[in-house]
Amino acid sequence: MGTPGFGGKLLVVNLTTKEIIRLDSQEYEKYGGGHGTATALFWEFCVKPGDWDLQDAFDPHNMVSLTVGAMAGTGTPASARTSVSGMSPQCYPIQWFCHSNFGGMFSTMLKMAGWDGVAVIGRAESPVYINIVDDKVTIEDAKSLWGLTTWECQEEIWKRTGVRFGQEWWKLDGGYSLQRPQIVTMGAAGENMTRVASLVHGGGSGAGQGGFGGVFGSKNLKAVAVMGTGSIKIADPKGLKDAREWWDKTWPRGGGFGGFGFGSPGEVTSCCVGCGIPRFCHNRTRVHSKDSDDCAESTWYTLEDRQVPTEVNQRGTDICQQHSINAMETCFMGPMTFDTSHNPSFPIQPKIPAYSALGWYMKKMYDMGVIGPGTKFDTSPLPMEEYGSRNFMEIYGYAIANRVGIGNLLAEGTARFCEKLGRTDDFSTLCRLTMWGFMDHWSMPGVEWAYGNLFDSRDINNHDMSLGRKNGITCEQFVNIMAKRTPPTEDPFWFDYSWEGEQAYKTGIYSEHKAQWVAWHQHYWNYYKESVGFCDWGYSQLYNQAHKEGFGHTPEIEPKYLNAVTGRNHTFEDGLEIGRRAWNLKRAIFVLQGRDKKMEKFTGYYYKPGASYCGYAKELTVYDGSKWEWQNCNELYFTVEGVEKFKDHFYKVEGWNVDNGYPTRKTLEDLDLKPVADTLQSKGKLG
Amino acid sequence: MAGDNDNTNTAVEAVGGGDGKKVSRRAFVVGSGAALAGGALATTAHAAAQTTEAPKIQKAVYPRSTKYLVYDSMHCAGCLGCMLACSLVHEGVTSLSLSRIQVHRSVLSKYPLDMQQNVCRQCPDPLCVDNCPTGAAHVSAENGNIRMIDEAKCIGCQTCIKSCPQLPHRTIWNPAKKKSTKCDLCVNTPFYNKKGGPGGAQACVEACPRNALKVVDEMPDQADHRGVAQNDTAGYDRNLQPPAPKMPFGFGPGAKPKGKTGAKPGAKPDAKPDGAPDAKPAPEGKPAASAAPAN
Ligand code: SF4
């Protein structure tokens, strides 16, 4: 019997050899489950054999994995994420090892079937799907599923089971159920191996960033379906209920869960298993768009200069989900614009869209005459004269997903589209891409998000900071609360956003204090979010106005839930250490893929006025050498010198060589990663 | 029958009671599902669905339960938190299969036909009790006349499961123990941090974040009960939402719908906070039968 809370087994399927490998998941628990475990599996199966160059995400050697942590299926709120990991075809210029995640019921069902993850390597000769029914795993023919949308595919697999919704109990080999299989799949965008393909589960859950739908496509893998009739052992059932009740009482619901508790009892939400937090990620009443009501898809077709009717927008959500198109990467501009007119040197005037992603950039190129009829890049089949119409949107989605006409270029994602046009300078002007080809996404002026993007491989998409002005509390009181909630260091200067002059180096954004905070933040999410499965909308939470002392539920609730489920006696810091281990293992993979200190540079616009125009927190906590105050940091931008100084601090904090950014033997061995140090040494890449 | 204070029922009422005129939401689901049955593909790796035998005629007269679990399928989030809480407090594990309340959602189907909540109705004429050959299924006088199964007496013959007139059946089979079990409103909950049962708490109700479950004293309307399929709309599936608070910034049920397709939460004209004893009429704008789940 494995550790309570875990399914106990990991599944690796080799589609080339049709081998089905069962591993004991307990041996991987030191990596945390979820993404941490996936990182270890990637090391084991893709790096250790040393038989390929780790460059092409569509190479059959690549592994795509769906892994879960201890919390999935335990009924705790905001904890049912499934992590998706593997080398990403979306990352640019190198297709880094990367991650994404999705919610819904998949993680719970996987656990009920007794698995903590399923990882896939190789490539099937013809389309297949993986069918997991409790302990039984089969590779099924999916020729007749190929070409179906994500919704059709799920309906078809349900039909194959012969089970009809709500009719009668389903008898399987090991047990009974009224549920149907939970499925993750992709549509045309995945089948055609676009770099902007998501994985879709249910009506509106999806893993967009990373392009893992295309990795499924490259493996001829249409779907993974799982049906479980088992159970998850809970070490301390009463303790788990106590923890939940303590949480409910201490942080009343609607009192700002992740800052998004704006729901009301009358709304008709739907959510991941065990959650029910009124953030309204999904809505049962959506007529067109099935289940989804979340931001990226529902604002996909938001345009700069015209109002798109709601129903057209909702159809846009459908398009993204049915074709499995990454809405974030391909959207038009996002729901907001920001004023730039006060800075005439800024390249986008007079206002800048929240996201200048592929749709927006394509239109800009058309308006500038770079693409379009008569140019080197014809825009066919896009009816540019109908831009803004539903018809245009339908064709745009179809063309990308099926690589038709200019859709073939757009399917490569924004960074590679720019490259094809010969306009890589646009990365740091019009496109505002982060350093690894992802669209900027509120990453400034909250620099921990920007730095996270720099040292990781994607837009880290962490919404957990809420540093803006708070009512009824001074700035100094606020940073002291934040410090108390970030053990073990408890340093208020972690939250100093001084960005000009000496202070920026002493305690501000280039200081060692900030480096420690960024490291804490990375270790936190590597374990608690991406590996354990806690949702970004709820975790971490350092401050909460609903609490009498302003405390958020971090760092208390995470170990309370985890220990009740697993029976361990872990402290919050033990979790951070597991996150650090997984993070260092990932760093070693990056290094073998080509990462070094020289590469870790922001794109140009981060170093210029305007870098923070689209930030989600304008007012930040600033220490001027004598006192704390909230200051408008709308103008915050980096200097090259400052960032280089910061990198030195950060590498030191992480135990990486400050000259090249490689992890040192001591760091790796302290984390019980000696074989990793040996591999790096054999490649001449040990720090 | 609803609201009737007479605490006993007759055999006649049990099999044929009610006016039978209401067509429930549930009837639509069952009806359209049956039409599709012939088109469903044959089971592949899985065993065929379990069948339910027709219930037998009621033999005895039983005192009514003093408590009933009712629910609000129009506001349920489908989070399955109630199911995980149920199995947790009864069995010490979280399990979808061992939960005595069953919620399932067809995520690609249209609201409100996408959701099913299946609870034990604590039937006035409990066929599970009536047909149990050992007396394991019984009416527990010391627990408010709740219909319960005494695990020690259960021989695993599944008669109670076959007898359950609801579809899907509400008596649950535990394959590991080879025993039948059912909702006891949390009387026997060794892993609960509270006292459960008719005078105590219920884990599912506590866990529900959407006010979609409640235990009530009065027997819900049994009018649609035909003994062959669940027609819970009659009395068990009801609006349980508290009156909507005034929400700032245009959020919440008071807010004007956005555009043509903006959601109209809480738009039921009949919406009555719980306590409303009458049946929940069909929701406004109810989709046609063809919109029912395809499988
Ligand atoms: S806990 Fe409530 S909202 Fe969640 S599935 Fe059960 S009844 Fe529905």
Side-chain angles (χ1 to χ4, degrees):
Chain A
M1 191 67 201
T3 308
F6 287 89
K9 292 172 297 183
L10 289 165
L11 172 65
V12 180
V13 179
N14 185 331
L15 290 178
T16 306
T17 62
K18 301 189 175 62
E19 220 180 332
I20 288 165
I21 304 162
R22 292 167 155 81
L23 300 170
D24 180 352
S25 73
Q26 213 166 8
E27 285 173 24
Y28 292 82
E29 272 173 36
K30 68 175 188 176
Y31 301 100
H35 181 56
T37 291
T39 309
L41 286 173
F42 186 87
W43 182 271
E44 195 77 13
F45 285 82
C46 302
V47 179
K48 223 162 90 181
D51 54 353
W52 68 306
D53 61 4
L54 300 171
Q55 295 302 306
D56 180 8
F58 293 146
D59 189 304
H61 283 93
N62 189 16
M63 169 183 271
V64 59
S65 53
L66 313 167
T67 46
V68 303
M71 299 313 294
T74 63
T76 45
S79 65
R81 309 297 295 179
T82 302
S83 191
V84 184
S85 310
M87 271 170 50
S88 153
Q90 188 187 349
C91 290
Y92 177 93
I94 289 176
Q95 297 173 44
W96 302 116
F97 180 69
C98 191
H99 68 277
S100 187
N101 68 51
F102 63 92
M105 280 191 64
F106 188 87
S107 62
T108 298
M109 201 53 104
L110 194 64
K111 280 261 205 79
M112 295 296 169
W115 302 96
D116 294 311
V118 44
V120 186
I121 48 175
R123 179 174 196 273
E125 277 166 23
S126 60
V128 295
Y129 75 97
I130 296 170
N131 195 29
I132 304 167
V133 182
D134 288 328
D135 189 53
K136 193 165 154 194
V137 181
T138 49
I139 301 171
E140 306 275 351
D141 181 20
K143 284 193 213 79
S144 63
L145 302 179
W146 208 256
L148 299 186
T149 67
T150 59
W151 295 347
E152 289 165 346
C153 175
Q154 292 178 83
E155 301 269 17
E156 189 54 38
I157 291 175
W158 287 330
K159 266 191 211 158
R160 286 185 183 195
T161 65
V163 175
R164 285 173 299 125
F165 171 60
Q167 294 296 291
E168 192 44 291
W169 287 77
W170 184 18
K171 184 174 182 303
L172 297 106
D173 286 350
Y176 293 80
S177 187
L178 270 174
Q179 307 292 328
R180 297 186 298 182
Q182 297 300 324
I183 300 161
V184 60
T185 183
M186 49 69 172
E191 292 175 2
N192 293 304
M193 290 163 60
T194 73
R195 294 180 190 275
V196 296
S198 54
L199 289 173
V200 172
H201 158 59
S205 297
Q209 296 284 44
F212 291 107
V215 180
F216 264 43
S218 74
K219 297 186 174 308
N220 259 326
L221 177 63
K222 180 68 178 176
V224 177
V226 61
M227 182 66 212
T229 62
S231 53
I232 303 167
K233 173 136 188 55
I234 306 295
D236 178 7
K238 289 183 184 172
L240 183 58
K241 284 222 84 206
D242 284 342
R244 170 68 191 262
E245 277 156 28
W246 174 77
W247 179 78
D248 268 340
K249 222 171 49 216
T250 318
W251 292 278
R253 267 179 244 165
F257 185 82
F260 288 88
F262 52 59
S264 74
E267 298 275 3
V268 190
T269 185
S270 79
C271 56
C272 298
V273 173
C275 191
I277 296 303
R279 190 191 158 256
F280 298 93
C281 300
H282 302 286
N283 189 315
R284 284 176 57 200
T285 63
R286 287 288 179 261
V287 179
H288 295 291
S289 51
K290 299 287 180 194
D291 199 26
S292 183
D293 195 28
D294 214 346
C295 62
E297 289 148 331
S298 56
T299 58
W300 182 62
Y301 197 48
T302 313
L303 305 180
E304 186 173 12
D305 53 356
R306 68 196 78 178
Q307 191 70 34
V308 176
T310 312
E311 62 266 39
V312 174
N313 245 319
Q314 289 198 351
R315 172 63 193 147
T317 313
D318 288 7
I319 291 173
C320 292
Q321 287 170 12
Q322 289 176 311
H323 295 324
S324 71
I325 296 171
N326 173 351
M328 200 97 181
E329 173 72 2
T330 59
C331 75
F332 285 78
M333 59 168 287
M336 287 177 247
T337 52
F338 299 89
D339 182 32
T340 53
S341 57
H342 59 293
N343 176 4
S345 68
F346 197 78
I348 307 169
Q349 293 289 337
K351 56 186 183 177
I352 185 174
Y355 318 134
S356 41
L358 193 57
W360 180 89
Y361 180 69
M362 177 275 304
K363 177 66 164 40
K364 200 90 189 157
M365 290 299 101
Y366 176 78
D367 291 344
M368 288 165 62
V370 179
I371 61 173
T375 70
K376 205 171 141 202
F377 306 98
D378 191 1
T379 39
S380 163
L382 303 182
M384 295 307 296
E385 65 291 347
E386 288 182 50
Y387 180 76
S389 69
R390 172 172 170 156
N391 193 39
F392 177 86
M393 176 186 74
E394 297 271 359
I395 295 172
Y396 175 77
Y398 183 88
I400 291 179
N402 292 282
R403 289 184 171 274
V404 179
I406 194 156
N408 192 37
L409 293 185
L410 297 170
E412 291 293 295
T414 313
R416 289 174 178 84
F417 180 59
C418 287
E419 196 181 61
K420 279 274 176 347
L421 303 185
R423 295 182 62 93
T424 47
D425 284 354
D426 287 351
F427 287 0
S428 56
T429 53
L430 292 175
C431 294
R432 292 179 299 135
L433 294 185
T434 62
M435 53 302 307
W436 313 125
F438 289 75
M439 171 194 85
D440 188 11
H441 176 208
W442 315 117
S443 66
M444 295 278 269
V447 295
E448 60 279 341
W449 190 330
Y451 283 135
N453 291 351
L454 181 63
F455 300 118
D456 211 303
S457 54
R458 54 161 281 184
D459 157 28
I460 59 169
N461 202 6
N462 274 222
H463 297 77
D464 52 0
M465 284 299 102
S466 171
L467 298 162
R469 187 184 295 274
K470 306 285 177 284
N471 291 332
I473 184 173
T474 67
C475 186
E476 186 169 353
Q477 285 167 330
F478 175 69
V479 293
N480 283 328
I481 290 172
M482 299 290 276
K484 272 205 191 110
R485 309 311 280 174
T486 44
T489 315
E490 302 192 5
D491 176 1
F493 292 117
W494 282 12
F495 307 100
D496 178 19
Y497 290 82
S498 305
W499 60 281
E500 288 174 303
E502 278 287 283
Q503 205 61 38
Y505 289 86
K506 271 196 198 149
T507 57
I509 65 170
Y510 307 128
S511 69
E512 195 185 342
H513 301 273
K514 190 62 76 189
Q516 287 172 352
W517 161 231
V518 172
W520 187 99
H521 197 241
Q522 289 298 108
H523 303 163
Y524 179 91
W525 83 250
N526 256 276
Y527 180 59
Y528 287 111
K529 285 201 248 197
E530 211 57 49
S531 297
V532 169
F534 286 131
C535 173
D536 176 56
W537 290 114
Y539 296 88
S540 63
Q541 187 194 79
L542 306 179
Y543 177 80
N544 190 327
Q545 241 161 327
H547 185 275
K548 58 183 185 326
E549 288 174 76
F551 292 168
H553 55 221
T554 300
E556 287 163 279
I557 196 62
E558 296 93 339
K560 252 194 212 308
Y561 280 150
L562 272 162
N563 289 338
V565 166
T566 61
R568 293 178 190 140
N569 196 17
H570 276 188
T571 62
F572 177 78
E573 289 87 332
D574 291 335
L576 291 180
E577 193 63 1
I578 297 172
R580 190 165 79 89
R581 179 180 296 124
W583 173 233
N584 271 274
L585 183 57
K586 193 165 162 178
R587 181 73 183 179
I589 296 170
F590 289 165
V591 163
L592 292 174
Q593 287 191 279
R595 185 78 68 94
D596 63 15
K597 183 181 186 181
K598 282 199 291 305
M599 286 190 90
E600 289 186 324
K601 289 200 170 81
F602 289 108
T603 40
Y605 79 94
Y606 279 88
Y607 300 102
K608 290 187 188 139
S612 297
Y613 286 176
C614 300
Y616 76 109
K618 302 268 180 257
E619 284 206 314
L620 297 179
T621 46
V622 173
Y623 182 71
D624 70 1
S626 61
K627 62 178 185 319
W628 285 93
E629 60 183 8
W630 275 291
Q631 276 181 18
N632 186 334
C633 291
N634 202 13
E635 302 294 329
L636 186 153
Y637 60 92
F638 287 125
T639 63
V640 172
E641 187 209 3
V643 170
E644 291 307 305
K645 188 75 206 159
F646 178 85
K647 277 159 65 179
D648 289 349
H649 287 312
F650 184 74
Y651 294 162
K652 250 189 237 154
V653 169
E654 291 286 15
W656 301 342
N657 185 313
V658 289
D659 296 327
N660 51 28
Y662 299 161
T664 63
R665 176 169 287 280
K666 178 167 183 343
T667 300
L668 294 171
E669 288 190 357
D670 284 353
L671 291 165
D672 204 14
L673 296 172
K674 180 176 177 303
V676 176
D678 294 343
T679 303
L680 290 187
Q681 187 159 26
S682 72
K683 307 275 183 196
K685 293 199 164 184
L686 188 63
Chain B
M1 275 172 22
D4 187 345
N5 286 327
D6 175 5
N7 222 24
T8 59
N9 304 285
T10 65
V12 178
E13 281 174 319
V15 291
D19 60 23
K21 282 182 197 132
K22 286 176 188 153
V23 179
S24 69
R25 173 171 83 81
R26 183 52 206 223
F28 269 99
V29 179
V30 172
S32 64
L36 285 161
L41 295 182
T43 305
T44 50
H46 315 305
Q50 193 177 334
T51 54
T52 305
E53 288 175 9
K56 296 172 189 171
I57 299 294
Q58 184 81 29
K59 290 178 293 199
V61 172
Y62 298 96
R64 283 185 184 171
S65 175
T66 55
K67 299 282 173 185
Y68 300 84
L69 180 60
V70 297
Y71 57 89
D72 182 348
S73 72
M74 294 184 76
H75 290 93
C76 168
C79 72
L80 314 189
C82 49
M83 293 175 68
L84 299 173
C86 174
S87 52
L88 183 70
V89 300
H90 286 95
E91 318 286 350
V93 299
T94 53
S95 171
L96 300 176
S97 295
L98 297 179
S99 171
R100 298 142 194 232
I101 174 173
Q102 288 287 327
V103 177
H104 37 147
R105 181 161 178 241
S106 181
V107 287
L108 298 175
S109 300
K110 279 196 166 53
Y111 178 84
L113 300 178
D114 56 336
M115 191 71 75
Q116 284 209 17
Q117 288 167 288
N118 303 135
V119 306
C120 171
R121 293 171 57 145
Q122 304 294 344
C123 295
D125 312 295
L127 293 172
C128 56
V129 172
D130 210 48
N131 291 323
C132 175
T134 68
H138 65 287
V139 171
S140 174
E142 63 273 31
N143 291 300
N145 295 333
I146 294 170
R147 286 74 173 116
M148 291 173 56
I149 293 176
D150 181 345
E151 197 177 292
K153 286 191 190 158
C154 175
I155 55 168
C157 68
Q158 303 195 27
T159 305
C160 54
I161 292 178
K162 291 169 189 156
S163 300
C164 178
Q166 308 304 320
L167 185 70
H169 56 74
R170 311 304 155 86
T171 23
I172 308 290
W173 181 242
N174 183 327
K177 289 185 180 168
K178 300 208 180 329
K179 305 263 185 192
S180 296
T181 185
K182 70 178 286 300
C183 172
D184 60 359
L185 295 175
C186 290
V187 172
N188 288 323
T189 45
F191 304 97
Y192 202 6
N193 56 356
K194 299 211 171 74
K195 181 187 160 340
Q202 284 74 34
C204 60
V205 176
E206 265 188 349
C208 180
R210 307 303 305 150
N211 299 308
L213 294 169
K214 188 167 184 170
V215 170
V216 298
D217 298 337
E218 197 168 82
M219 186 174 77
D221 186 0
Q222 306 282 317
D224 278 338
H225 177 38
R226 280 285 170 273
V228 289
Q230 177 203 14
N231 285 302
D232 284 357
T233 311
Y236 291 82
D237 191 356
R238 59 172 74 175
N239 180 24
L240 297 173
Q241 301 309 299
K246 260 204 152 53
M247 297 297 290
F249 317 124
F251 292 117
K256 287 210 174 78
K258 288 176 235 152
K260 276 189 199 162
T261 54
K264 285 176 75 182
K268 290 172 290 180
D270 57 305
K272 277 186 194 172
D274 176 51
D278 44 348
K280 183 159 81 174
E284 190 187 42
K286 181 163 129 183
S290 62
N295 57 73

Short mmCIF file of all heavy atoms in Angstrom, two decimals, chain A residues 284 286-288 290, chain B residues 106-115 287 291-293:
data_model
loop_
_atom_site.label_atom_id
_atom_site.label_comp_id
_atom_site.label_asym_id
_atom_site.label_seq_id
_atom_site.Cartn_x
_atom_site.Cartn_y
_atom_site.Cartn_z
N ARG A 284 -22.70 26.74 -16.09
CA ARG A 284 -23.55 25.71 -16.72
C ARG A 284 -24.55 26.26 -17.71
O ARG A 284 -25.06 25.54 -18.54
CB ARG A 284 -24.31 24.94 -15.63
CG ARG A 284 -23.47 23.94 -14.87
CD ARG A 284 -24.28 23.31 -13.76
NE ARG A 284 -25.49 22.68 -14.25
CZ ARG A 284 -26.55 22.39 -13.50
NH1 ARG A 284 -26.53 22.66 -12.21
NH2 ARG A 284 -27.61 21.82 -14.02
N ARG A 286 -24.20 28.56 -20.06
CA ARG A 286 -23.75 29.08 -21.35
C ARG A 286 -24.38 28.30 -22.49
O ARG A 286 -24.28 27.07 -22.55
CB ARG A 286 -22.23 29.01 -21.45
CG ARG A 286 -21.53 30.03 -20.60
CD ARG A 286 -21.71 31.43 -21.19
NE ARG A 286 -21.07 32.41 -20.35
CZ ARG A 286 -21.72 33.17 -19.46
NH1 ARG A 286 -23.03 33.07 -19.32
NH2 ARG A 286 -21.07 34.04 -18.73
N VAL A 287 -25.02 29.01 -23.38
CA VAL A 287 -25.76 28.33 -24.43
C VAL A 287 -24.82 27.84 -25.53
O VAL A 287 -24.80 26.68 -25.90
CB VAL A 287 -26.83 29.26 -25.02
CG1 VAL A 287 -27.59 28.56 -26.13
CG2 VAL A 287 -27.78 29.70 -23.92
N HIS A 288 -24.00 28.75 -26.03
CA HIS A 288 -23.13 28.38 -27.14
C HIS A 288 -21.88 27.69 -26.64
O HIS A 288 -21.42 26.72 -27.21
CB HIS A 288 -22.71 29.61 -27.93
CG HIS A 288 -23.84 30.28 -28.60
ND1 HIS A 288 -24.50 29.72 -29.65
CD2 HIS A 288 -24.44 31.46 -28.36
CE1 HIS A 288 -25.47 30.53 -30.05
NE2 HIS A 288 -25.45 31.59 -29.27
N LYS A 290 -20.84 25.88 -24.27
CA LYS A 290 -20.82 24.75 -23.35
C LYS A 290 -20.50 25.23 -21.96
O LYS A 290 -21.19 26.04 -21.41
CB LYS A 290 -19.82 23.69 -23.83
CG LYS A 290 -20.16 23.12 -25.18
CD LYS A 290 -21.36 22.20 -25.13
CE LYS A 290 -21.66 21.65 -26.50
NZ LYS A 290 -22.95 21.02 -26.59
N SER B 106 -23.33 15.60 -17.36
CA SER B 106 -22.99 15.40 -18.76
C SER B 106 -22.53 16.76 -19.27
O SER B 106 -23.35 17.60 -19.66
CB SER B 106 -24.23 14.92 -19.51
OG SER B 106 -23.92 14.70 -20.85
N VAL B 107 -21.24 17.00 -19.20
CA VAL B 107 -20.73 18.36 -19.38
C VAL B 107 -21.01 18.96 -20.75
O VAL B 107 -20.97 20.16 -20.92
CB VAL B 107 -19.21 18.46 -19.13
CG1 VAL B 107 -18.89 18.35 -17.68
CG2 VAL B 107 -18.45 17.44 -19.95
N LEU B 108 -21.28 18.11 -21.74
CA LEU B 108 -21.52 18.66 -23.06
C LEU B 108 -23.01 18.78 -23.38
O LEU B 108 -23.39 19.07 -24.49
CB LEU B 108 -20.82 17.79 -24.12
CG LEU B 108 -19.29 17.74 -23.96
CD1 LEU B 108 -18.67 16.78 -24.96
CD2 LEU B 108 -18.68 19.12 -24.12
N SER B 109 -23.83 18.55 -22.37
CA SER B 109 -25.28 18.68 -22.59
C SER B 109 -25.77 20.03 -22.08
O SER B 109 -25.08 20.71 -21.34
CB SER B 109 -26.01 17.57 -21.85
OG SER B 109 -25.57 16.32 -22.33
N LYS B 110 -26.97 20.36 -22.49
CA LYS B 110 -27.48 21.70 -22.20
C LYS B 110 -28.10 21.80 -20.80
O LYS B 110 -28.79 20.89 -20.36
CB LYS B 110 -28.52 22.09 -23.25
CG LYS B 110 -27.90 22.59 -24.53
CD LYS B 110 -28.91 23.32 -25.39
CE LYS B 110 -28.27 24.12 -26.50
NZ LYS B 110 -27.37 23.34 -27.33
N TYR B 111 -27.85 22.92 -20.19
CA TYR B 111 -28.47 23.24 -18.91
C TYR B 111 -29.98 23.31 -19.08
O TYR B 111 -30.44 23.88 -20.06
CB TYR B 111 -27.92 24.59 -18.45
CG TYR B 111 -28.49 25.10 -17.16
CD1 TYR B 111 -27.97 24.68 -15.95
CD2 TYR B 111 -29.56 26.01 -17.16
CE1 TYR B 111 -28.49 25.15 -14.75
CE2 TYR B 111 -30.08 26.47 -15.97
CZ TYR B 111 -29.55 26.04 -14.77
OH TYR B 111 -30.06 26.50 -13.59
N PRO B 112 -30.78 22.79 -18.18
CA PRO B 112 -30.40 22.14 -16.93
C PRO B 112 -30.37 20.61 -17.03
O PRO B 112 -30.32 19.93 -16.02
CB PRO B 112 -31.52 22.58 -16.00
CG PRO B 112 -32.73 22.63 -16.89
CD PRO B 112 -32.23 23.04 -18.26
N LEU B 113 -30.39 20.12 -18.27
CA LEU B 113 -30.44 18.66 -18.42
C LEU B 113 -29.07 18.02 -18.27
O LEU B 113 -28.92 16.82 -18.49
CB LEU B 113 -31.03 18.31 -19.78
CG LEU B 113 -32.45 18.83 -20.03
CD1 LEU B 113 -32.92 18.48 -21.42
CD2 LEU B 113 -33.41 18.27 -19.00
N ASP B 114 -28.10 18.83 -17.94
CA ASP B 114 -26.74 18.30 -17.85
C ASP B 114 -26.45 17.66 -16.50
O ASP B 114 -25.42 17.03 -16.33
CB ASP B 114 -25.74 19.45 -18.08
CG ASP B 114 -25.95 20.61 -17.12
OD1 ASP B 114 -27.09 20.76 -16.61
OD2 ASP B 114 -25.00 21.35 -16.86
N MET B 115 -27.34 17.81 -15.53
CA MET B 115 -26.99 17.42 -14.16
C MET B 115 -27.96 16.41 -13.59
O MET B 115 -29.17 16.53 -13.77
CB MET B 115 -27.03 18.68 -13.28
CG MET B 115 -26.45 18.49 -11.91
SD MET B 115 -24.66 18.30 -11.95
CE MET B 115 -24.15 19.98 -12.24
N PRO B 287 -35.28 23.44 -22.61
CA PRO B 287 -34.96 22.97 -23.95
C PRO B 287 -35.89 21.85 -24.37
O PRO B 287 -36.46 21.14 -23.54
CB PRO B 287 -33.53 22.45 -23.79
CG PRO B 287 -33.03 22.97 -22.50
CD PRO B 287 -34.23 23.20 -21.66
N ALA B 291 -32.83 18.15 -26.98
CA ALA B 291 -31.59 18.68 -26.41
C ALA B 291 -31.08 17.81 -25.27
O ALA B 291 -30.09 18.11 -24.66
CB ALA B 291 -31.83 20.09 -25.89
N ALA B 292 -31.77 16.74 -24.99
CA ALA B 292 -31.35 15.88 -23.89
C ALA B 292 -30.01 15.21 -24.21
O ALA B 292 -29.64 15.12 -25.38
CB ALA B 292 -32.40 14.81 -23.65
N PRO B 293 -29.31 14.79 -23.18
CA PRO B 293 -27.99 14.20 -23.41
C PRO B 293 -28.04 13.06 -24.44
O PRO B 293 -28.99 12.27 -24.45
CB PRO B 293 -27.62 13.65 -22.03
CG PRO B 293 -28.43 14.45 -21.08
CD PRO B 293 -29.68 14.82 -21.79
#
